[in-house]
Amino acid sequence: MSQTISAGRAPKILIESVAGDLSLVGWEGDDILVKGEAGQMQVNQDGDQVRISCEDDLSLRVPKAASISIEKIGGDASIRSLTGNVQLREVDGD
């Protein structure tokens, strides 16, 4: 399942938990593209703030200037092409 969210060029994204692997890539677009298994993702938006959690693998494409805060990833993490602030607390894999 994929979902597109419009939150501006520099959204604030909180990834609360990902039980599996996370792929996070910055892109030139203004939208956030969220991909994961149907029924496994929870996405909440309040203006330019977006909260995401997933009980499986998660793939995100976000504006390059997004501010990202990641609480916990149960698997591996791949984070590329971001110019905004990135805070990462816990990764259980690579």
Side-chain angles (χ1 to χ4, degrees), residues 19-70:
D21 299 337
L22 172 68
S23 173
L24 175 60
V25 178
W27 68 352
E28 295 298 330
D30 290 347
D31 294 333
I32 300 167
L33 177 62
V34 183
K35 290 185 182 180
E37 289 294 319
Q40 301 295 312
M41 297 184 309
Q42 294 179 331
V43 180
N44 298 303
Q45 180 181 10
D46 182 13
D48 69 346
Q49 297 185 3
V50 179
R51 296 171 72 92
I52 301 169
S53 62
C54 184
E55 297 173 16
D56 200 356
D57 295 341
L58 180 66
S59 176
L60 293 171
R61 302 297 176 264
V62 303
K64 286 186 177 222
S67 294
I68 311 288
S69 179
I70 303 169

Side-chain angles (χ1 to χ4, degrees), residues 13-17 22 68-75 77 79 85-93:
I13 301 170
L14 171 61
I15 301 171
E16 295 175 326
S17 69
L22 172 68
I68 311 288
S69 179
I70 303 169
E71 296 293 324
K72 180 169 177 27
I73 300 170
I79 301 170
N85 187 34
V86 177
Q87 294 180 323
L88 179 59
R89 292 193 184 249
E90 182 178 343
V91 178
D92 289 344

